[in-house]
Amino acid sequence: MTTITFYSYKGGVGRSLAVANVAKYLQRFGQKVFAIDFDLEAPGLHYKFNLGIDGEESHIDQGVVDFIYNFSTTGKMPESLSDYTIEVGQSESSPGRIWLMPAGNVPSGTYWRRLARVSWHDLFYSESAPGIPLFLELKQRIEDEFKPDFLLIDSRTGITEVGGVATTVLPDKLVCLVMKNRENLEGAREVLRSIKRAVRLPDQAEIKILPVLTRIPELAADEEGKVLKEVRDFLNENAPELPMTLNVDEVFILHSESDLELTEAIRVGG
């Protein structure tokens, strides 16, 4: 199972929509995909998956917040993750499958009350804090129970506890989506440098970082090349502590599309 986290320092870069499109793309090739919405304060991955499926919304009872809340109150893992997941509509033309562990039943008051009652300090900073082992166990349970080829994580923006787990502990690869402005680039660069410095488990390889520049209009090839080189050079500038300096080989690009400015939609298979 390959774990890929999608991260952005700021919102509005199309991160969740990218996760949904990648999941659909992999499904078309017969891959089994498990996606998790870790953007708990502004969840929306379930909305992205529901777009393009006959306009119907899947009923969500529980998700990531309920999983964390139940563990915090009982100290026990559930026997199965099935109560916290839903399967996104299967394609008749492909044997691939997509499971989604949403943030939870977002419109309900129960969701927001449970999120407010989660003590992130107890999970990550108390003596014998269970937070990191909990999420590593969650990852292992996903692999054992669903046996996906890919685990896709929609991470929370900014710098947070659960975002730190999603970007430093769980992934094999990290897709960092940025817009070409100073606050996006500077913030993303500092986060990526901290990821490079983060301690990994003995059996974990270094995280492969894939920067993606988004919301870029179609440009002539030479002009686009200059933009990508400028961003790559900025990311690779020497850090105050040289070992934290990034060594990005390539910056990828997602062009803007006027149709998506009005209504978001999954483009893969459309």
Side-chain angles (χ1 to χ4, degrees), residues 102-153:
N105 185 9
V106 178
S108 72
T110 299
Y111 175 86
W112 299 110
R113 285 192 296 271
R114 288 190 167 189
L115 178 60
R117 290 171 182 168
V118 171
S119 173
W120 301 108
H121 180 274
D122 290 345
L123 275 175
F124 291 104
Y125 305 114
S126 62
E127 186 177 353
S128 302
I132 290 178
L134 171 66
F135 287 106
L136 287 172
E137 176 67 16
L138 172 61
K139 178 179 176 179
Q140 188 61 53
R141 292 281 294 274
I142 290 170
E143 184 168 13
D144 293 342
E145 190 169 338
F146 296 89
K147 298 178 173 55
D149 301 292
F150 289 89
L151 171 60
L152 306 183
I153 299 174

Side-chain angles (χ1 to χ4, degrees), residues 118-235:
V118 171
S119 173
W120 301 108
H121 180 274
D122 290 345
L123 275 175
F124 291 104
Y125 305 114
S126 62
E127 186 177 353
S128 302
I132 290 178
L134 171 66
F135 287 106
L136 287 172
E137 176 67 16
L138 172 61
K139 178 179 176 179
Q140 188 61 53
R141 292 281 294 274
I142 290 170
E143 184 168 13
D144 293 342
E145 190 169 338
F146 296 89
K147 298 178 173 55
D149 301 292
F150 289 89
L151 171 60
L152 306 183
I153 299 174
D154 188 5
S155 176
R156 187 179 172 191
T157 57
I159 302 172
T160 62
E161 293 87 352
V162 71
V165 172
T167 56
T168 64
V169 176
L170 299 179
D172 304 304
K173 301 178 182 180
L174 183 129
V175 176
C176 180
L177 287 82
V178 297
M179 293 176 66
K180 192 179 181 297
N181 58 54
R182 194 77 181 183
E183 62 177 320
N184 258 273
L185 291 171
E186 284 192 344
R189 184 174 65 180
E190 291 309 305
V191 171
L192 294 178
R193 285 173 174 175
S194 69
I195 291 171
K196 185 178 178 67
R197 181 181 59 186
V199 177
R200 300 276 281 168
L201 296 176
D203 60 340
Q204 289 182 316
E206 183 177 344
I207 297 172
K208 182 175 178 59
I209 294 173
L210 306 170
V212 178
L213 194 59
T214 72
R215 310 296 194 198
I216 300 296
E218 295 282 354
L219 302 171
D222 58 341
E223 188 176 355
E224 184 173 289
K226 290 178 181 177
V227 170
L228 294 175
K229 182 180 184 302
E230 180 183 342
V231 172
R232 185 179 69 247
D233 290 347
F234 179 85
L235 294 175

Side-chain angles (χ1 to χ4, degrees), residues 34 80 82 95 101 112 180 183 194 202-203 216 236 249 261:
F34 194 104
S80 171
S82 60
M101 189 173 189
W112 299 110
K180 192 179 181 297
E183 62 177 320
S194 69
D203 60 340
I216 300 296
N236 287 338
D249 295 324
E261 294 174 5

Side-chain angles (χ1 to χ4, degrees), residues 24 48-58 89-90 92:
K24 285 286 187 179
K48 304 300 185 289
F49 278 117
N50 286 330
L51 296 175
I53 307 178
D54 301 326
E56 297 181 1
E57 293 189 7
S58 300
Q90 277 190 271
E92 294 181 1

